[in-house]
Every structure is written in C-alpha cells, then in structure tokens.
Amino acid sequence: MDDRDRSELAVGLEKIAVEVARETAELALAVRDRVVGDRSVADMTTKSSATDVVTAGDRECEALVRERLAVLRPDDAVLGEEEGGATSPRPGQVRWVVDPIDGTVNYTHGLPWFSVSLGAEVDGRAVAGAVVEPVSRRVWSAAVGQGARLDGRLLRASSLARVELAVVGTGLAYDPDRRARQAALLGRVAGSIGDVRRQGCASLDLCSVAAGWIDGFYEHGLKPWDWCAGALIAEEAGAVVRRPSSGAGPDDGWGPEATFAAGPALAGPLADLLRAAGAAQL
C-alpha cells in the first residue's frame, strides 16, 4: 500500500468513525433516559442502580458499534471495552478500538462530560478516529496526516511554554491504592503548574489538549479504548503524545502505563517535572 492509498484509507475510516460514533451517541442518551429518567443516582433503587445504567449503556452501545462495523467494514477486527475481541489482528488488517461510553461515572451522574470513542488502527498505529459527545453533539475527529478537527474546524494544540502557567488535566484510577499515589503526585506538582483540571473522561481530556483548552494531560492506567482516538486527535493537532507501552524498549522515566499529551513547547518541561516528581511509580 503506497502513501496515497494509506491516506485515502485513513480519510475513509475517519468518516466511518464519525458516522458510527454519532449514531452510538444518540443511543447512549436514550439508554440513560430509559434507565435513569429524571432521578438522581441517590434515588435509584437496587433494581435500577448506577451499575445497571452503565452496564446497559456500555453493552448496548458497543453492540451497535459492532453491528454497524460488520456491515460497513466486515473484514476488520474489533477490540471493545465490554466484549474484548481482536488482540492480535493480521498484518495490515484494520482494527477498531471501541469505548462505547468513556466517562461512565459522569454518564451515570448526569454530568455532560462523557463520550463515544472510536479509533482505527493498522499494525498497531492509529490512523483515524472520532470522539463524539452525546450531550453537546460535538464531533472531534482525525485522520493520520490530515490534521484534527472539531465540528470540521482545524485544531491546534497550545503554544504555551511556561509550566508555571499551564493548565494541566489528569485522571484518577478506580483502584484506591493507585488513586492515592496519583493524588500524592498531583500534590507534589500542584505548586509548580498554573492550574489543574480533573474532568473524568480521558478521550475528551486528550481532545481538550488538541483544542488548546488545556495545555497538557497525563494519566496512568488507561486502556487502549480510552486513548486510541483521542491520542491521534491530539497528535494531529500538533501535540506531543506519549502512549502506554507494552514495557518493551528503554525506560523513559514514565513507566509502561503512562499516557501524556502536551503542546510542543510545554511537553519537555512538563514531562521533566512529572518524572522528577515520581511519575514512574504510579
């Protein structure tokens, strides 16, 4: 496959990602309305619990994605958060990486900051992706080499270079021990950066880096479906991106489970600050 063919493939996959993610976003809202309605999580019965809405939403949304991809791209592999799937696709085969609802705690509690994230990889590298926000209906997307867009408008990551002014996003793990370590790291660096945002949806955090809404983002313990599409969108907007690794290769001071993205001028100083504060131990 030559460069022109790869480019055409990536653009075509981006269009499919946007189409399927948009349809899935509508379903995510419909499921939440059906299960939760106007109630708060505190008012929900054990029969219709917070777990129910997450389970129903995730499973129904992922099933829809798989159904649509089976029609549109029947020879592709799929890896999803709920049903697993292809961990070793064939060389050259497209693999879709699906997070049917990213930001499930926000989704359950009625907060609008959640998404449907759909990325496409070839030989382990993301080539296209879309992140759709069901509530606002904003559409973030990218194709490799073609830039990143928000509702069709080209994005550019922050040009800020000063760590002490940077607004930095992060996330906290569900596991209490890891969450405590993450909070301790945040405490060590908080006095050296401009401000912190904890929004609860990694795909949208990465998109926020792409838009320059935040200057950088880091988190440990994310899965491929959390970052596949968002990391490509940030990268195509000019951000420096570090994805989790399999543990192979030289130690870069992050540990294998770190995701990092920042504007190009800030990436070096911010990464140095976080590594010096013990990021590899998270």
Side-chain angles (χ1 to χ4, degrees), residues 45-114:
T45 66
T46 55
K47 183 177 180 181
S48 183
S49 66
T51 301
D52 290 337
V53 67
V54 171
T55 299
D58 279 336
R59 289 183 177 174
E60 290 187 38
C61 287
E62 185 168 319
L64 176 60
V65 171
R66 289 176 180 272
E67 176 185 311
R68 298 290 288 121
L69 291 176
V71 173
L72 295 168
R73 299 278 307 181
D75 296 327
D76 293 352
V78 180
L79 174 66
E81 180 179 17
E82 292 303 306
E83 298 182 28
T87 56
S88 300
R90 301 188 310 272
Q93 184 182 27
V94 173
R95 181 176 76 165
W96 295 91
V97 183
V98 182
D99 195 339
I101 300 175
D102 187 22
T104 51
V105 174
N106 291 347
Y107 176 70
T108 302
H109 283 71
L111 294 167
W113 197 248
F114 62 94

Short mmCIF file of all heavy atoms in Angstrom, two decimals, residues 45-114:
data_model
loop_
_atom_site.label_atom_id
_atom_site.label_comp_id
_atom_site.label_asym_id
_atom_site.label_seq_id
_atom_site.Cartn_x
_atom_site.Cartn_y
_atom_site.Cartn_z
N THR A 45 -33.18 2.74 42.78
CA THR A 45 -33.35 1.52 43.55
C THR A 45 -32.26 0.52 43.20
O THR A 45 -31.53 0.67 42.22
CB THR A 45 -34.71 0.90 43.25
OG1 THR A 45 -34.72 0.46 41.89
CG2 THR A 45 -35.83 1.90 43.47
N THR A 46 -32.17 -0.53 43.99
CA THR A 46 -31.17 -1.57 43.71
C THR A 46 -31.46 -2.27 42.39
O THR A 46 -30.56 -2.75 41.72
CB THR A 46 -31.15 -2.61 44.85
OG1 THR A 46 -32.48 -3.12 45.03
CG2 THR A 46 -30.66 -1.99 46.14
N LYS A 47 -32.75 -2.33 42.02
CA LYS A 47 -33.08 -2.98 40.74
C LYS A 47 -32.63 -2.12 39.56
O LYS A 47 -32.23 -2.64 38.51
CB LYS A 47 -34.60 -3.22 40.66
CG LYS A 47 -35.01 -3.96 39.40
CD LYS A 47 -36.51 -4.25 39.39
CE LYS A 47 -36.90 -5.00 38.12
NZ LYS A 47 -38.35 -5.28 38.08
N SER A 48 -32.68 -0.81 39.72
CA SER A 48 -32.26 0.10 38.64
C SER A 48 -31.16 0.98 39.20
O SER A 48 -31.35 2.13 39.52
CB SER A 48 -33.44 0.96 38.18
OG SER A 48 -33.05 1.78 37.11
N SER A 49 -29.99 0.38 39.34
CA SER A 49 -28.89 1.03 40.03
C SER A 49 -27.96 1.72 39.07
O SER A 49 -28.09 1.65 37.86
CB SER A 49 -28.10 -0.02 40.82
OG SER A 49 -27.48 -0.91 39.90
N ALA A 50 -26.96 2.40 39.65
CA ALA A 50 -25.92 3.04 38.83
C ALA A 50 -25.21 2.01 37.98
O ALA A 50 -24.87 2.26 36.83
CB ALA A 50 -24.93 3.77 39.74
N THR A 51 -25.00 0.82 38.55
CA THR A 51 -24.35 -0.24 37.78
C THR A 51 -25.20 -0.65 36.59
O THR A 51 -24.70 -0.90 35.50
CB THR A 51 -24.08 -1.46 38.66
OG1 THR A 51 -23.24 -1.05 39.75
CG2 THR A 51 -23.40 -2.56 37.89
N ASP A 52 -26.50 -0.68 36.77
CA ASP A 52 -27.41 -1.06 35.68
C ASP A 52 -27.27 -0.13 34.49
O ASP A 52 -27.20 -0.58 33.34
CB ASP A 52 -28.87 -1.04 36.17
CG ASP A 52 -29.18 -2.15 37.15
OD1 ASP A 52 -28.47 -3.17 37.13
OD2 ASP A 52 -30.14 -1.99 37.91
N VAL A 53 -27.27 1.17 34.76
CA VAL A 53 -27.24 2.11 33.64
C VAL A 53 -25.91 2.04 32.91
O VAL A 53 -25.85 2.12 31.68
CB VAL A 53 -27.56 3.55 34.09
CG1 VAL A 53 -26.50 4.14 34.98
CG2 VAL A 53 -27.77 4.44 32.87
N VAL A 54 -24.81 1.88 33.64
CA VAL A 54 -23.51 1.76 32.99
C VAL A 54 -23.46 0.48 32.16
O VAL A 54 -23.05 0.47 31.00
CB VAL A 54 -22.37 1.79 34.02
CG1 VAL A 54 -21.04 1.44 33.36
CG2 VAL A 54 -22.28 3.16 34.66
N THR A 55 -23.90 -0.63 32.76
CA THR A 55 -23.86 -1.91 32.06
C THR A 55 -24.74 -1.87 30.81
O THR A 55 -24.32 -2.27 29.73
CB THR A 55 -24.32 -3.04 32.99
OG1 THR A 55 -23.42 -3.11 34.10
CG2 THR A 55 -24.31 -4.37 32.28
N ALA A 56 -25.96 -1.38 30.96
CA ALA A 56 -26.87 -1.32 29.82
C ALA A 56 -26.32 -0.39 28.74
O ALA A 56 -26.33 -0.73 27.55
CB ALA A 56 -28.24 -0.84 30.28
N GLY A 57 -25.84 0.78 29.14
CA GLY A 57 -25.32 1.72 28.17
C GLY A 57 -24.11 1.19 27.44
O GLY A 57 -24.04 1.23 26.20
N ASP A 58 -23.13 0.69 28.19
CA ASP A 58 -21.91 0.17 27.57
C ASP A 58 -22.22 -0.98 26.62
O ASP A 58 -21.75 -1.01 25.48
CB ASP A 58 -20.93 -0.31 28.64
CG ASP A 58 -20.13 0.83 29.27
OD1 ASP A 58 -19.97 1.87 28.61
OD2 ASP A 58 -19.64 0.67 30.40
N ARG A 59 -23.00 -1.93 27.08
CA ARG A 59 -23.24 -3.12 26.28
C ARG A 59 -24.08 -2.82 25.04
O ARG A 59 -23.77 -3.30 23.94
CB ARG A 59 -23.91 -4.20 27.13
CG ARG A 59 -22.96 -4.81 28.16
CD ARG A 59 -23.62 -5.92 28.94
NE ARG A 59 -22.67 -6.53 29.87
CZ ARG A 59 -23.00 -7.46 30.76
NH1 ARG A 59 -24.26 -7.87 30.86
NH2 ARG A 59 -22.09 -7.95 31.57
N GLU A 60 -25.12 -2.04 25.19
CA GLU A 60 -25.97 -1.73 24.04
C GLU A 60 -25.22 -0.87 23.02
O GLU A 60 -25.35 -1.07 21.81
CB GLU A 60 -27.25 -1.03 24.49
CG GLU A 60 -28.20 -1.96 25.24
CD GLU A 60 -29.54 -1.30 25.54
OE1 GLU A 60 -30.04 -0.54 24.68
OE2 GLU A 60 -30.08 -1.55 26.63
N CYS A 61 -24.42 0.06 23.51
CA CYS A 61 -23.67 0.92 22.60
C CYS A 61 -22.58 0.15 21.87
O CYS A 61 -22.39 0.31 20.66
CB CYS A 61 -23.08 2.10 23.36
SG CYS A 61 -24.31 3.33 23.85
N GLU A 62 -21.87 -0.71 22.59
CA GLU A 62 -20.83 -1.49 21.90
C GLU A 62 -21.46 -2.46 20.90
O GLU A 62 -20.91 -2.67 19.81
CB GLU A 62 -19.96 -2.25 22.89
CG GLU A 62 -18.79 -2.95 22.20
CD GLU A 62 -17.74 -3.47 23.14
OE1 GLU A 62 -17.40 -2.77 24.11
OE2 GLU A 62 -17.24 -4.59 22.90
N ALA A 63 -22.59 -3.03 21.24
CA ALA A 63 -23.27 -3.94 20.31
C ALA A 63 -23.65 -3.20 19.02
O ALA A 63 -23.52 -3.74 17.92
CB ALA A 63 -24.50 -4.55 20.96
N LEU A 64 -24.10 -1.96 19.17
CA LEU A 64 -24.45 -1.18 17.98
C LEU A 64 -23.22 -0.90 17.12
O LEU A 64 -23.26 -1.02 15.90
CB LEU A 64 -25.11 0.13 18.40
CG LEU A 64 -25.44 1.09 17.24
CD1 LEU A 64 -26.41 0.45 16.26
CD2 LEU A 64 -26.01 2.40 17.78
N VAL A 65 -22.11 -0.53 17.77
CA VAL A 65 -20.88 -0.27 17.01
C VAL A 65 -20.47 -1.52 16.23
O VAL A 65 -20.16 -1.45 15.03
CB VAL A 65 -19.74 0.17 17.95
CG1 VAL A 65 -18.41 0.22 17.19
CG2 VAL A 65 -20.04 1.52 18.56
N ARG A 66 -20.48 -2.65 16.89
CA ARG A 66 -20.08 -3.89 16.23
C ARG A 66 -21.03 -4.23 15.07
O ARG A 66 -20.58 -4.68 14.01
CB ARG A 66 -20.02 -5.03 17.24
CG ARG A 66 -18.86 -4.93 18.22
CD ARG A 66 -18.89 -6.03 19.27
NE ARG A 66 -17.77 -5.91 20.20
CZ ARG A 66 -16.57 -6.45 20.02
NH1 ARG A 66 -16.33 -7.17 18.92
NH2 ARG A 66 -15.62 -6.30 20.92
N GLU A 67 -22.30 -4.02 15.29
CA GLU A 67 -23.29 -4.29 14.24
C GLU A 67 -23.05 -3.40 13.02
O GLU A 67 -23.08 -3.87 11.88
CB GLU A 67 -24.68 -4.05 14.81
CG GLU A 67 -25.82 -4.21 13.82
CD GLU A 67 -27.15 -3.83 14.45
OE1 GLU A 67 -27.44 -4.32 15.56
OE2 GLU A 67 -27.88 -3.02 13.84
N ARG A 68 -22.81 -2.12 13.26
CA ARG A 68 -22.60 -1.19 12.15
C ARG A 68 -21.29 -1.48 11.42
O ARG A 68 -21.23 -1.44 10.18
CB ARG A 68 -22.62 0.25 12.66
CG ARG A 68 -23.94 0.66 13.29
CD ARG A 68 -25.03 0.79 12.22
NE ARG A 68 -24.83 1.96 11.41
CZ ARG A 68 -24.65 1.95 10.09
NH1 ARG A 68 -24.66 0.82 9.41
NH2 ARG A 68 -24.47 3.08 9.42
N LEU A 69 -20.23 -1.78 12.16
CA LEU A 69 -18.94 -2.07 11.53
C LEU A 69 -18.99 -3.37 10.75
O LEU A 69 -18.33 -3.51 9.71
CB LEU A 69 -17.82 -2.13 12.58
CG LEU A 69 -17.45 -0.80 13.23
CD1 LEU A 69 -16.40 -1.02 14.31
CD2 LEU A 69 -16.96 0.22 12.21
N ALA A 70 -19.77 -4.32 11.22
CA ALA A 70 -19.90 -5.60 10.50
C ALA A 70 -20.50 -5.40 9.12
O ALA A 70 -20.22 -6.16 8.18
CB ALA A 70 -20.74 -6.57 11.31
N VAL A 71 -21.33 -4.37 8.98
CA VAL A 71 -21.92 -4.04 7.68
C VAL A 71 -20.98 -3.19 6.84
O VAL A 71 -20.75 -3.46 5.66
CB VAL A 71 -23.27 -3.31 7.88
CG1 VAL A 71 -23.81 -2.82 6.54
CG2 VAL A 71 -24.28 -4.23 8.56
N LEU A 72 -20.39 -2.17 7.47
CA LEU A 72 -19.58 -1.20 6.73
C LEU A 72 -18.17 -1.71 6.43
O LEU A 72 -17.60 -1.38 5.38
CB LEU A 72 -19.49 0.10 7.53
CG LEU A 72 -20.80 0.86 7.72
CD1 LEU A 72 -20.63 1.96 8.76
CD2 LEU A 72 -21.28 1.44 6.41
N ARG A 73 -17.60 -2.49 7.35
CA ARG A 73 -16.22 -2.97 7.21
C ARG A 73 -16.15 -4.42 7.71
O ARG A 73 -15.53 -4.72 8.74
CB ARG A 73 -15.27 -2.09 8.04
CG ARG A 73 -15.22 -0.63 7.65
CD ARG A 73 -14.31 -0.37 6.48
NE ARG A 73 -12.99 -0.92 6.68
CZ ARG A 73 -11.99 -0.81 5.80
NH1 ARG A 73 -12.19 -0.16 4.66
NH2 ARG A 73 -10.80 -1.34 6.03
N PRO A 74 -16.74 -5.35 7.00
CA PRO A 74 -16.88 -6.72 7.51
C PRO A 74 -15.57 -7.47 7.70
O PRO A 74 -15.54 -8.45 8.46
CB PRO A 74 -17.76 -7.40 6.45
CG PRO A 74 -17.59 -6.58 5.21
CD PRO A 74 -17.41 -5.18 5.70
N ASP A 75 -14.50 -7.06 7.06
CA ASP A 75 -13.23 -7.77 7.19
C ASP A 75 -12.33 -7.21 8.28
O ASP A 75 -11.22 -7.70 8.49
CB ASP A 75 -12.46 -7.73 5.85
CG ASP A 75 -13.20 -8.48 4.75
OD1 ASP A 75 -13.88 -9.48 5.07
OD2 ASP A 75 -13.12 -8.06 3.58
N ASP A 76 -12.79 -6.18 8.98
CA ASP A 76 -11.96 -5.56 10.01
C ASP A 76 -12.11 -6.30 11.34
O ASP A 76 -13.10 -6.98 11.59
CB ASP A 76 -12.38 -4.10 10.22
CG ASP A 76 -12.06 -3.23 9.01
OD1 ASP A 76 -11.40 -3.72 8.07
OD2 ASP A 76 -12.49 -2.06 9.01
N ALA A 77 -11.11 -6.13 12.19
CA ALA A 77 -11.14 -6.65 13.55
C ALA A 77 -11.67 -5.57 14.49
O ALA A 77 -11.63 -4.38 14.18
CB ALA A 77 -9.74 -7.08 13.99
N VAL A 78 -12.18 -6.00 15.65
CA VAL A 78 -12.73 -5.06 16.64
C VAL A 78 -12.22 -5.45 18.03
O VAL A 78 -12.25 -6.62 18.41
CB VAL A 78 -14.27 -5.05 16.63
CG1 VAL A 78 -14.80 -4.06 17.67
CG2 VAL A 78 -14.81 -4.70 15.25
N LEU A 79 -11.76 -4.43 18.77
CA LEU A 79 -11.42 -4.59 20.18
C LEU A 79 -12.28 -3.61 20.95
O LEU A 79 -12.22 -2.40 20.72
CB LEU A 79 -9.94 -4.30 20.42
CG LEU A 79 -9.48 -4.30 21.89
CD1 LEU A 79 -9.60 -5.69 22.50
CD2 LEU A 79 -8.06 -3.76 22.01
N GLY A 80 -13.11 -4.12 21.88
CA GLY A 80 -14.00 -3.26 22.63
C GLY A 80 -13.82 -3.42 24.12
O GLY A 80 -13.38 -4.47 24.60
N GLU A 81 -14.18 -2.39 24.86
CA GLU A 81 -14.04 -2.43 26.32
C GLU A 81 -14.91 -3.52 26.93
O GLU A 81 -14.50 -4.20 27.88
CB GLU A 81 -14.42 -1.08 26.92
CG GLU A 81 -14.29 -1.05 28.44
CD GLU A 81 -14.64 0.28 29.05
OE1 GLU A 81 -15.28 1.10 28.37
OE2 GLU A 81 -14.29 0.51 30.22
N GLU A 82 -16.11 -3.72 26.40
CA GLU A 82 -17.05 -4.65 27.01
C GLU A 82 -16.83 -6.09 26.57
O GLU A 82 -16.80 -7.00 27.40
CB GLU A 82 -18.48 -4.22 26.68
CG GLU A 82 -18.90 -2.92 27.33
CD GLU A 82 -18.76 -2.98 28.84
OE1 GLU A 82 -19.33 -3.89 29.46
OE2 GLU A 82 -18.06 -2.11 29.39
N GLU A 83 -16.68 -6.32 25.28
CA GLU A 83 -16.65 -7.68 24.75
C GLU A 83 -15.26 -8.14 24.35
O GLU A 83 -15.10 -9.26 23.84
CB GLU A 83 -17.59 -7.78 23.54
CG GLU A 83 -19.05 -7.52 23.90
CD GLU A 83 -19.96 -7.68 22.70
OE1 GLU A 83 -19.63 -8.47 21.79
OE2 GLU A 83 -21.01 -7.02 22.66
N GLY A 84 -14.24 -7.31 24.57
CA GLY A 84 -12.89 -7.72 24.18
C GLY A 84 -12.78 -7.83 22.67
O GLY A 84 -13.28 -6.99 21.93
N GLY A 85 -12.12 -8.89 22.21
CA GLY A 85 -12.01 -9.10 20.77
C GLY A 85 -10.58 -9.25 20.33
O GLY A 85 -9.76 -9.82 21.05
N ALA A 86 -10.28 -8.73 19.16
CA ALA A 86 -9.02 -8.99 18.48
C ALA A 86 -7.85 -8.31 19.19
O ALA A 86 -7.72 -7.09 19.16
CB ALA A 86 -9.09 -8.51 17.03
N THR A 87 -7.01 -9.11 19.84
CA THR A 87 -5.79 -8.58 20.45
C THR A 87 -4.60 -8.72 19.53
O THR A 87 -3.59 -8.04 19.71
CB THR A 87 -5.49 -9.31 21.77
OG1 THR A 87 -5.41 -10.73 21.52
CG2 THR A 87 -6.59 -9.05 22.80
N SER A 88 -4.69 -9.57 18.51
CA SER A 88 -3.59 -9.78 17.55
C SER A 88 -4.16 -9.82 16.13
O SER A 88 -4.26 -10.89 15.52
CB SER A 88 -2.83 -11.07 17.87
OG SER A 88 -2.28 -11.03 19.16
N PRO A 89 -4.52 -8.67 15.58
CA PRO A 89 -5.04 -8.66 14.21
C PRO A 89 -3.97 -9.06 13.21
O PRO A 89 -2.77 -9.01 13.49
CB PRO A 89 -5.48 -7.21 14.01
CG PRO A 89 -4.67 -6.44 15.00
CD PRO A 89 -4.48 -7.34 16.18
N ARG A 90 -4.39 -9.44 12.03
CA ARG A 90 -3.46 -9.80 10.96
C ARG A 90 -2.65 -8.59 10.53
O ARG A 90 -3.14 -7.46 10.60
CB ARG A 90 -4.20 -10.35 9.75
CG ARG A 90 -5.05 -11.58 10.00
CD ARG A 90 -5.58 -12.14 8.68
NE ARG A 90 -6.21 -11.11 7.85
CZ ARG A 90 -7.49 -10.77 7.94
NH1 ARG A 90 -8.28 -11.37 8.82
NH2 ARG A 90 -7.99 -9.84 7.14
N PRO A 91 -1.42 -8.79 10.04
CA PRO A 91 -0.66 -7.66 9.49
C PRO A 91 -1.47 -6.95 8.40
O PRO A 91 -2.03 -7.58 7.51
CB PRO A 91 0.59 -8.32 8.92
CG PRO A 91 0.76 -9.57 9.73
CD PRO A 91 -0.64 -10.04 10.02
N GLY A 92 -1.54 -5.64 8.51
CA GLY A 92 -2.26 -4.85 7.54
C GLY A 92 -3.76 -4.77 7.75
O GLY A 92 -4.44 -4.00 7.07
N GLN A 93 -4.30 -5.56 8.68
CA GLN A 93 -5.74 -5.54 8.93
C GLN A 93 -6.12 -4.33 9.78
O GLN A 93 -5.42 -3.97 10.74
CB GLN A 93 -6.17 -6.81 9.65
CG GLN A 93 -7.67 -6.93 9.88
CD GLN A 93 -8.04 -8.20 10.65
OE1 GLN A 93 -7.25 -8.73 11.42
NE2 GLN A 93 -9.26 -8.68 10.43
N VAL A 94 -7.21 -3.69 9.45
CA VAL A 94 -7.73 -2.60 10.27
C VAL A 94 -8.35 -3.18 11.54
O VAL A 94 -9.10 -4.16 11.49
CB VAL A 94 -8.79 -1.79 9.50
CG1 VAL A 94 -9.45 -0.76 10.40
CG2 VAL A 94 -8.16 -1.10 8.30
N ARG A 95 -8.00 -2.58 12.68
CA ARG A 95 -8.64 -2.95 13.95
C ARG A 95 -9.29 -1.71 14.55
O ARG A 95 -8.64 -0.67 14.72
CB ARG A 95 -7.62 -3.52 14.94
CG ARG A 95 -8.29 -3.92 16.26
CD ARG A 95 -7.34 -4.57 17.24
NE ARG A 95 -6.45 -3.60 17.88
CZ ARG A 95 -5.74 -3.87 18.97
NH1 ARG A 95 -5.78 -5.09 19.51
NH2 ARG A 95 -4.95 -2.95 19.50
N TRP A 96 -10.56 -1.82 14.84
CA TRP A 96 -11.30 -0.76 15.51
C TRP A 96 -11.19 -0.94 17.01
O TRP A 96 -11.36 -2.04 17.53
CB TRP A 96 -12.77 -0.79 15.09
CG TRP A 96 -12.96 -0.48 13.65
CD1 TRP A 96 -12.99 -1.36 12.61
CD2 TRP A 96 -13.11 0.81 13.06
NE1 TRP A 96 -13.17 -0.71 11.41
CE2 TRP A 96 -13.25 0.63 11.66
CE3 TRP A 96 -13.17 2.11 13.58
CZ2 TRP A 96 -13.44 1.70 10.78
CZ3 TRP A 96 -13.36 3.17 12.71
CH2 TRP A 96 -13.49 2.96 11.34
N VAL A 97 -10.92 0.15 17.71
CA VAL A 97 -10.78 0.14 19.17
C VAL A 97 -11.90 1.00 19.74
O VAL A 97 -11.97 2.21 19.47
CB VAL A 97 -9.40 0.66 19.59
CG1 VAL A 97 -9.25 0.56 21.11
CG2 VAL A 97 -8.29 -0.13 18.89
N VAL A 98 -12.79 0.38 20.52
CA VAL A 98 -14.09 0.97 20.84
C VAL A 98 -14.24 1.19 22.34
O VAL A 98 -14.12 0.25 23.13
CB VAL A 98 -15.23 0.04 20.36
CG1 VAL A 98 -16.58 0.68 20.65
CG2 VAL A 98 -15.07 -0.31 18.89
N ASP A 99 -14.50 2.42 22.72
CA ASP A 99 -15.00 2.71 24.06
C ASP A 99 -16.43 3.20 23.91
O ASP A 99 -16.67 4.34 23.50
CB ASP A 99 -14.16 3.77 24.77
CG ASP A 99 -14.42 3.81 26.27
OD1 ASP A 99 -15.50 3.34 26.68
OD2 ASP A 99 -13.57 4.30 27.03
N PRO A 100 -17.42 2.35 24.18
CA PRO A 100 -18.81 2.71 23.90
C PRO A 100 -19.29 3.89 24.73
O PRO A 100 -20.10 4.69 24.26
CB PRO A 100 -19.58 1.44 24.22
CG PRO A 100 -18.70 0.68 25.16
CD PRO A 100 -17.30 1.00 24.75
N ILE A 101 -18.81 4.01 25.97
CA ILE A 101 -19.08 5.19 26.80
C ILE A 101 -17.83 5.45 27.63
O ILE A 101 -17.53 4.70 28.56
CB ILE A 101 -20.30 5.00 27.72
CG1 ILE A 101 -21.57 4.73 26.91
CG2 ILE A 101 -20.50 6.24 28.61
CD1 ILE A 101 -22.78 4.41 27.75
N ASP A 102 -17.11 6.50 27.29
CA ASP A 102 -15.95 6.91 28.09
C ASP A 102 -16.41 8.01 29.04
O ASP A 102 -17.06 8.97 28.62
CB ASP A 102 -14.85 7.43 27.16
CG ASP A 102 -13.56 7.72 27.92
OD1 ASP A 102 -13.38 7.15 29.00
OD2 ASP A 102 -12.74 8.50 27.41
N GLY A 103 -16.08 7.83 30.32
CA GLY A 103 -16.58 8.75 31.34
C GLY A 103 -17.86 8.24 31.96
O GLY A 103 -18.83 8.98 32.13
N THR A 104 -17.86 6.97 32.34
CA THR A 104 -19.10 6.34 32.81
C THR A 104 -19.61 6.92 34.12
O THR A 104 -20.82 6.94 34.34
CB THR A 104 -18.92 4.81 32.94
OG1 THR A 104 -17.76 4.53 33.72
CG2 THR A 104 -18.78 4.17 31.58
N VAL A 105 -18.73 7.37 34.99
CA VAL A 105 -19.20 7.98 36.24
C VAL A 105 -19.96 9.27 35.93
O VAL A 105 -21.04 9.52 36.48
CB VAL A 105 -18.02 8.24 37.20
CG1 VAL A 105 -18.50 9.02 38.43
CG2 VAL A 105 -17.39 6.92 37.65
N ASN A 106 -19.42 10.07 35.03
CA ASN A 106 -20.15 11.28 34.61
C ASN A 106 -21.48 10.90 33.97
O ASN A 106 -22.52 11.53 34.24
CB ASN A 106 -19.30 12.07 33.60
CG ASN A 106 -18.08 12.70 34.24
OD1 ASN A 106 -17.95 12.76 35.45
ND2 ASN A 106 -17.17 13.17 33.40
N TYR A 107 -21.46 9.90 33.12
CA TYR A 107 -22.67 9.43 32.43
C TYR A 107 -23.74 9.03 33.44
O TYR A 107 -24.92 9.42 33.33
CB TYR A 107 -22.28 8.23 31.57
CG TYR A 107 -23.39 7.51 30.85
CD1 TYR A 107 -24.06 8.09 29.78
CD2 TYR A 107 -23.73 6.21 31.21
CE1 TYR A 107 -25.05 7.40 29.10
CE2 TYR A 107 -24.72 5.51 30.54
CZ TYR A 107 -25.38 6.12 29.48
OH TYR A 107 -26.35 5.43 28.81
N THR A 108 -23.36 8.29 34.45
CA THR A 108 -24.31 7.83 35.45
C THR A 108 -24.88 8.98 36.26
O THR A 108 -26.07 9.00 36.59
CB THR A 108 -23.61 6.84 36.41
OG1 THR A 108 -23.09 5.76 35.66
CG2 THR A 108 -24.59 6.31 37.44
N HIS A 109 -24.05 9.95 36.59
CA HIS A 109 -24.46 11.03 37.48
C HIS A 109 -25.13 12.20 36.76
O HIS A 109 -25.48 13.20 37.40
CB HIS A 109 -23.25 11.53 38.27
CG HIS A 109 -22.86 10.62 39.40
ND1 HIS A 109 -22.27 9.39 39.17
CD2 HIS A 109 -23.00 10.74 40.74
CE1 HIS A 109 -22.05 8.80 40.33
NE2 HIS A 109 -22.49 9.59 41.29
N GLY A 110 -25.29 12.10 35.46
CA GLY A 110 -25.97 13.16 34.74
C GLY A 110 -25.07 14.30 34.30
O GLY A 110 -25.56 15.32 33.80
N LEU A 111 -23.76 14.14 34.48
CA LEU A 111 -22.83 15.16 34.00
C LEU A 111 -22.65 15.02 32.49
O LEU A 111 -22.66 13.90 31.96
CB LEU A 111 -21.48 15.01 34.71
CG LEU A 111 -21.50 15.30 36.21
CD1 LEU A 111 -20.20 14.81 36.86
CD2 LEU A 111 -21.68 16.79 36.47
N PRO A 112 -22.45 16.09 31.77
CA PRO A 112 -22.39 16.01 30.30
C PRO A 112 -21.04 15.61 29.73
O PRO A 112 -20.93 15.44 28.52
CB PRO A 112 -22.75 17.44 29.88
CG PRO A 112 -22.25 18.30 30.98
CD PRO A 112 -22.47 17.50 32.25
N TRP A 113 -20.02 15.45 30.57
CA TRP A 113 -18.66 15.24 30.07
C TRP A 113 -18.38 13.74 29.90
O TRP A 113 -17.69 13.12 30.68
CB TRP A 113 -17.67 15.87 31.05
CG TRP A 113 -16.30 16.10 30.53
CD1 TRP A 113 -15.16 15.46 30.94
CD2 TRP A 113 -15.87 17.03 29.54
NE1 TRP A 113 -14.07 15.94 30.25
CE2 TRP A 113 -14.48 16.91 29.38
CE3 TRP A 113 -16.55 17.97 28.74
CZ2 TRP A 113 -13.74 17.67 28.48
CZ3 TRP A 113 -15.82 18.73 27.85
CH2 TRP A 113 -14.43 18.57 27.73
N PHE A 114 -18.97 13.15 28.86
CA PHE A 114 -18.69 11.75 28.51
C PHE A 114 -18.76 11.65 27.00
O PHE A 114 -19.21 12.57 26.31
CB PHE A 114 -19.66 10.78 29.20
CG PHE A 114 -21.11 10.97 28.83
CD1 PHE A 114 -21.67 10.22 27.81
CD2 PHE A 114 -21.91 11.87 29.52
CE1 PHE A 114 -23.02 10.38 27.47
CE2 PHE A 114 -23.25 12.04 29.18
CZ PHE A 114 -23.80 11.29 28.16
#
